[in-house]
């Protein structure tokens, strides 16, 4: 009975040792899996941070592009205004030049009376009441 009890205890001890080895192996596998999960979580965290930085950079770039586009539109409008002023000034100059030409032609041929021609040249030079804007009225460049 004592030897039988010792035999049972030895068998139980062997089974316990085998189970202990199996539990130890499973614990090692779980530990490796947890290390892999930690590394994967760190990679995900870095990827999320990189995405956030890229989103911030994209947002800043869009703001800069919108500002540049707004400035370009303003510059284009300013150029269009200046072209309009130049066109009006050229038209006025052409009218004055034509009147002056007619005046000089009239004096040369002796056909027209000079006082009437001087009035035409003066009216043309005045632009029929329309004046080009003063030089300092343009918007300053940015």
């Amino acid at each position: 009975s004592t030897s039988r009890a010792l035999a049972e205890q030895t068998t139980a001890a062997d089974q316990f040792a085998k189970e202990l080895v199996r539990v130890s192996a499973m614990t090692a596998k779980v530990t490796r899996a947890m290390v892999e999960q930690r590394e994967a979580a760190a990679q995900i965290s870095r990827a999320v941070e990189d995405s956030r930085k890229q989103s911030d950079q994209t947002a800043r770039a869009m703001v800069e592009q919108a500002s540049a586009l707004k400035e370009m539109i303003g510059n284009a409008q300013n150029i269009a205004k200046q072209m309009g002023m130049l066109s009006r000034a050229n038209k006025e100059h052409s009218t004055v030049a034509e009147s002056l030409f007619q005046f000089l032609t009239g004096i040369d041929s002796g056909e027209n009376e000079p006082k009437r021609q001087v009035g035409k040249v003066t009216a043309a030079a005045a632009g029929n009441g329309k004046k080009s804007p003063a030089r300092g009225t343009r918007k300053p460049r940015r």
Side-chain angles (χ1 to χ4, degrees):
S1 108
T2 308
S3 65
R4 190 190 219 181
L6 280 173
E8 287 179 8
Q9 285 179 357
T10 303
T11 304
D14 285 342
Q15 287 177 350
F16 181 74
K18 287 177 186 176
E19 286 300 318
L20 192 57
V21 168
R22 224 181 329 215
V23 167
S24 221
M26 286 176 43
T27 302
K29 287 180 183 179
V30 169
T31 302
R32 281 192 300 272
M34 289 174 65
V35 167
E36 289 175 7
Q37 287 177 346
R38 180 181 53 86
E39 290 172 357
Q43 288 176 348
I44 291 170
S45 178
R46 284 190 298 271
V48 167
E49 180 63 21
D50 288 345
S51 292
R52 186 192 63 75
K53 287 178 182 178
Q54 289 176 354
S55 294
D56 288 347
Q57 289 174 346
T58 302
R60 281 193 300 273
M62 290 176 72
V63 167
E64 288 176 16
Q65 288 176 352
S67 176
L69 184 60
K70 186 176 178 181
E71 187 174 333
M72 286 171 54
I73 289 170
N75 290 340
Q77 289 172 339
N78 189 23
I79 288 170
K81 287 178 188 177
Q82 289 177 9
M83 288 174 65
M85 289 188 298
L86 283 171
S87 293
R88 283 190 297 277
N90 284 342
K91 184 177 178 183
E92 290 173 10
H93 291 160
S94 294
T95 304
V96 169
E98 176 66 25
S99 296
L100 184 59
F101 175 74
Q102 288 176 0
F103 172 70
L104 293 174
T105 303
I107 288 177
D108 212 20
S109 67
E111 295 176 7
N112 300 322
E113 67 182 71
K115 284 187 177 182
R116 192 178 76 189
Q117 292 299 328
V118 168
K120 283 184 180 180
V121 171
T122 306
N128 296 328
K130 295 180 183 176
K131 293 185 178 180
S132 297
R135 248 187 172 274
T137 60
R138 282 193 266 166
K139 289 184 180 178
R141 289 187 173 180
R142 294 182 186 178

